[in-house]
Amino acid sequence: MNNVALRAIVWCIASFSFFSNTVVFLLRFRSIQLSSSETRNPSSNILIMNIAACDFLMSIYLFSIARADYIYRGNYFLHAETWTSSAVCSLAGISATISCEGSLTFLLILTRHRVDPTELILARRGLVINLCNLSCWLPLIIVQFCVVLLVEIPKQLAAWLAVLFLPINSSLNPLLYTILTIDIKSIRAKNKRLMRTR
């Protein structure tokens, strides 16, 4: 990554993805623990915890790429074969693949899980989440079609796609499925009940 802006973006996205997905995972885990046995329906929380775990893996991929960039900066061409055949590179690739595929799969399951009519609003919110993820995947899909059609892709464009568009949804997901799934009406109702009891 010979672009300073690209390096900064990698570290920012990796750090945000690492911390936000960790927070979401812990909050959802705590929510399952605090819910009473009568109202406990942990399936949504468990699915979101799985999405957070998958998105957390993307931060591992980005940190690995950023570390390799720091180590091999300026003389990557001398170490390219060593890096690409290393265990760290392989683990980074596996992390990115599991993150993308797992996150998308669990998002689709979560959306399907919320297709009931007591939950239509949540299904719409799930659709918004999936459309946001699709917008992140679309540039990659277009580039893949270009590669199949033997259209030459600039290396700088490939670098931006690998560190920006591919991982961006791992940073957006915690915001989307935590903020968009907050039931404002039920929170207001609980607050009113608490005020009345006081």
Side-chain angles (χ1 to χ4, degrees), residues 39 49 51 53 57 65 78 89 93 98 116 141 149 162-163 175 184:
T39 60
M49 285 169 64
I51 296 168
L57 290 175
I65 297 298
L78 297 173
C89 182
I98 292 173
D116 298 333
I141 293 168
L149 297 172
V163 300
L175 299 175
I184 303 296

Side-chain angles (χ1 to χ4, degrees), residues 143-157:
V143 167
Q144 287 176 344
F145 273 113
C146 290
V147 171
V148 169
L149 297 172
L150 302 178
V151 177
E152 189 175 349
I153 305 297
K155 290 183 180 179
Q156 196 63 21
L157 175 62

